[in-house]
Amino acid sequence: MVGSGDGCPDMPTDRRGGDQAAREAVTLALASPGTQRAPAAYRPGQFITLSFATAHRTYQRSYSLCGDGRIEAPWEITIKRHEAGLISRHLFERIQPGMLLHASLP
C-alpha cells in the first residue's frame, strides 16, 4: 500500500515511537519535502486526510493535528493501533522515516 490521492501533496514522514504508556500508539511528524517545516500553518481542531491507494481502491483516513500550528515545526499526528484497522495497522507497522504520504491541507 502506497500513499496516493488526487490533489494531495506528498509529505515525507518522520516516525516517532510512542512511549511505554502508549505502546499501541505512534506519532508521525509530517514535513514539506526536504525540510523540517510544516506544509502549512493550522489552527487547533483542524485535521488532515491521508490517502492510500491499493490495486483496487483508494482509502482515506482523517487525523487531528497535534501541536500549536507553527509553520516552523512539522505537523504531528498520533495513530492508535487497531488490530482490525487496515490503515492504522499499515501506518503503525510499515511507515518509516523519509517515506512519502499523500495528505490534504488542513
Side-chain angles (χ1 to χ4, degrees):
M1 185 181 308
V2 176
S4 179
D6 296 332
C8 295
D10 286 328
M11 311 228 189
T13 66
D14 176 15
R15 181 184 169 135
R16 298 177 184 177
D19 57 27
Q20 283 297 88
R23 62 176 197 253
E24 290 299 317
V26 65
T27 298
L28 301 179
L30 307 175
S32 293
T35 76
Q36 288 298 313
R37 296 174 56 90
Y42 67 93
R43 294 182 308 241
Q46 288 189 294
F47 64 91
I48 59 171
T49 300
L50 300 181
S51 297
F52 302 88
T54 67
H56 303 289
R57 67 178 281 197
T58 298
Y59 294 90
Q60 295 183 326
R61 298 294 185 272
S62 295
Y63 295 95
S64 295
L65 292 164
C66 306
D68 60 13
R70 289 180 303 121
I71 195 84
E72 297 83 23
W75 290 343
E76 288 189 352
I77 58 173
T78 298
I79 294 108
K80 181 178 180 189
R81 180 186 175 132
H82 294 278
E83 232 10 82
L86 178 68
I87 300 301
S88 69
R89 208 173 61 241
H90 172 75
L91 288 169
F92 198 90
E93 295 171 357
R94 295 199 174 96
I95 297 301
Q96 298 298 317
M99 293 178 91
L100 293 179
L101 298 178
H102 274 43
S104 69
L105 293 174

